[in-house]
């Protein structure tokens, strides 16, 4: 097989890239490890920045999003049992964010790609990247469309490594090329989906002595809730009634606000880390999304950052194919990293502002409360939060 761009991974990065390339008349083939059903059902992020929503509309994949997405013009920060609203429309030039589950985005993108007769090879195993520092890189892999999964070869001009944190692309870069910057957090999130109408129209981020909590949603009937927990928390120790009891304590307000309960349909623990590799390129391989960087989930930036990377990559590939210029490709990593580091800073800042750290002392606790007080009373500080939350301008 031969294509112009081989894309490893059908997550948000790989799928958005393929549609952006298609719009530019550039061919691609996506190799995906899992089944279509698996990637369309995997529960992950749920909050789309303003620019991500605009891009879905521009790409013609925003029809369900327009009908089902929930636009939010603000969030609540809750501390000391009181809520404080950050009004995005006022503070971030009328912008808002939209709640729409990541796996719904995936369904829309997969459907658009297949409808355009562009290939996604699901259940591809043993993807191996070759000749990255030449002008004719290629990928070998096995696919069940071939008898007994015989080895196949995909020749291409470029490879986009969009295969997430545990993928093979980053690992294919020779030792000594990449510098890694990382920080682990001594906690995780226990996340649930509950069949219960959300008790609030907007997201609530809670700072509490017992630890962070977050109320989000997926629809007018489904609430998404998160609790700070141990990084290796044993879900077996969290029967539903213990989860509700802990959530009620953390969300409690002085005015008797109540969380709505309902049957819990999904439970999982997510780890937290900040991670960046530099550069995001080696030869003809370009890393995008979680393959190159991870943010802790506070502020919901992971998916959105993947989308901004592939916007830069598509433009650079477009310039290569239309004008023969490699300039934008050469700047790809530096262009992305400027935004990546600002988003890393914001995600780290939200995380350290709202979570309890095991070695916190009373000074740290007072400092967090002072920061929250400042951010909810100073227009300059709340504007800074708002412009980061709705999404910084694209590079
Ligand atoms: P991914 O979505 O990871 O996609 C990579 C794709 O590559 C996958 O489909 C994978 O199957 C495929 N792949 C992997 N290896 C190979 C291989 N060898 N060959 C072929 N294909 C391969 N972000 C938020 O903003 N808010 C959240 O609440 C949130 N919750 C999360 C919960 C979990 C459990 C996880 C893991 C992530 C969460 N994130 C969240 C992060 C967000 O989902 C990611 O940042 C986003 O999915 C990144 O998109 P991506 O396309 O770069 O990578
Ligand atoms: C969601 C996840 C987040 O990490 C966040 O900050 C806001 C919302 C969500 O899954 O809805």
């Amino acid at each position: 097989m031969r294509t112009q761009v081989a894309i490893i991974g059908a997550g948000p990065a790989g799928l958005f890239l393929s549609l952006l390339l298609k719009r530019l008349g550039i061919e691609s083939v996506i190799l995906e490890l899992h089944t279509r059903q698996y990637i369309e059902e995997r529960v992950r992020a749920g909050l789309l920045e303003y620019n991500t929503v605009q891009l879905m509309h521009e790409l013609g994949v925003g029809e369900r999003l327009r009908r089902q997405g929930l636009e939010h013009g603000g969030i609540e920060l809750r501390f000391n049992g009181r809520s404080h609203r950050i009004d995005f429309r006022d503070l971030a030039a009328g912008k808002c964010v939209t709640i729409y589950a990541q796996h719904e985005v995936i369904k829309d993108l997969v459907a658009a790609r297949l409808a355009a007769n562009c290939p996604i090879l699901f259940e591809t195993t043993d993807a191996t990247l070759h000749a990255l520092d030449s002008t004719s890189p290629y990928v070998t892999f096995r696919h069940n469309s071939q008898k007994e999964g015989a080895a196949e070869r995909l020749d291409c001009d470029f490879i986009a490594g969009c295969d997430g944190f545990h993928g093979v692309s980053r690992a294919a870069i020779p030792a000594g090329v990449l510098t890694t910057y990382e920080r682990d957090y001594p906690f995780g999130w226990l996340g649930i989906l509950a069949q219960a109408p959300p008790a609030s129209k907007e997201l609530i981020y809670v700072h509490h002595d017992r630890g962070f909590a977050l109320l989000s949603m997926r629809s007018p009937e489904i609430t998404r809730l998160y609790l700070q927990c141990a990084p290796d928390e044993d879900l077996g120790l969290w029967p539903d009634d213990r989860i509700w009891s802990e959530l009620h304590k953390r969300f409690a307000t002085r005015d008797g606000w109540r969380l709505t309960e309902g049957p819990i349909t999904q439970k999982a623990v997510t780890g937290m880390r900040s991670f960046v590799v530099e550069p995001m390129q080696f030869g003809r391989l370009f890393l995008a999304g979680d393959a190159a960087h991870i943010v802790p989930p506070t502020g919901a930036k992971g998916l959105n950052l993947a989308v901004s990377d592939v916007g830069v990559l598509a433009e650079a590939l477009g310039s290569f194919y239309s004008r023969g210029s490699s300039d934008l490709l050469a700047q790809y990593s530096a262009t992305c990293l400027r935004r990546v580091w600002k988003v890393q800073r914001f995600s780290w800042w939200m995380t350290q502002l709202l979570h309890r750290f095991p070695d916190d002392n009373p000074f740290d606790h007072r400092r967090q409360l002072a920061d929250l007080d400042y951010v909810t009373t100073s227009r300059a500080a709340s504007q800074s939060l708002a412009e980061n939350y709705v999404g910084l301008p694209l590079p």
Side-chain angles (χ1 to χ4, degrees), residues 8-14 31-34 38-39 42-47 102 124 127 162-168 189 218 224 226 269-270 288-291 293 295 297 299-304 306:
I8 317 294
L31 305 179
E32 165 58 46
L33 179 61
H34 289 107
Y38 178 90
I39 65 164
R42 184 169 39 180
V43 175
R44 292 172 111 186
L47 192 141
Q102 177 165 335
T124 295
C162 300
D163 48 351
F165 185 69
H166 300 287
V168 292
W189 281 9
R218 289 293 176 266
R224 176 91 166 130
Y226 297 98
V269 172
T270 307
D290 280 13
H293 41 69
V295 289
K301 292 292 168 207
L303 180 163
N304 296 291

Side-chain angles (χ1 to χ4, degrees), residues 29 62 76 103 113 142 157 173 183 188 208 234 253 270 278 300 302 304 333 340 380 393:
V29 170
E76 271 183 38
H103 63 274
R113 176 150 175 108
R142 289 179 198 282
D157 301 328
I173 297 177
R183 162 186 279 250
H208 194 279
D234 176 2
T253 61
T270 307
E278 293 189 8
N304 296 291
S333 176
V340 165

Side-chain angles (χ1 to χ4, degrees), residues 122-145:
F122 292 103
E123 296 180 84
T124 295
T125 54
D126 295 342
T128 310
L129 283 48
H130 304 270
L132 298 176
D133 50 0
S134 77
T135 52
S136 357
Y138 62 98
V139 185
T140 54
F141 59 96
R142 289 179 198 282
H143 188 249
N144 57 14
S145 62

Side-chain angles (χ1 to χ4, degrees), residues 175-324:
V177 172
L178 299 179
T179 306
T180 301
Y181 300 86
E182 66 187 315
R183 162 186 279 250
D184 281 331
Y185 297 86
F187 40 74
W189 281 9
L190 194 170
I192 63 161
L193 280 174
Q195 266 170 354
S200 162
K201 282 210 167 75
E202 293 183 338
L203 272 62
I204 307 176
Y205 288 83
V206 184
H207 174 279
H208 194 279
D209 293 351
R210 300 179 66 88
F212 169 76
L214 169 62
L215 178 148
S216 180
M217 61 215 63
R218 289 293 176 266
S219 73
E221 297 81 37
I222 297 181
T223 307
R224 176 91 166 130
L225 291 151
Y226 297 98
L227 276 177
Q228 179 182 348
C229 63
D232 53 353
E233 192 71 54
D234 176 2
L235 273 178
L237 299 174
W238 286 87
D240 296 2
D241 52 354
R242 180 173 176 211
I243 294 179
W244 287 117
S245 154
E246 189 61 33
L247 285 167
H248 282 300
K249 286 180 189 145
R250 297 193 195 181
F251 280 97
T253 61
R254 294 164 188 240
D255 61 5
W257 182 93
R258 288 288 293 174
L259 204 55
T260 30
E261 286 192 29
I264 296 179
T265 54
Q266 204 258 358
K267 271 186 218 180
V269 172
T270 307
M272 316 260 288
R273 67 153 66 86
S274 301
F275 174 92
V276 183
V277 290
E278 293 189 8
M280 289 168 57
Q281 179 209 353
F282 174 72
R284 288 279 177 118
L285 167 66
F286 294 83
L287 301 177
D290 280 13
H293 41 69
I294 298 283
V295 289
T298 335
K301 292 292 168 207
L303 180 163
N304 296 291
L305 195 51
V307 175
S308 77
D309 286 351
V310 296
V312 177
L313 184 53
E315 194 190 348
L317 288 167
S319 154
F320 177 85
Y321 283 111
S322 65
R323 295 199 296 279

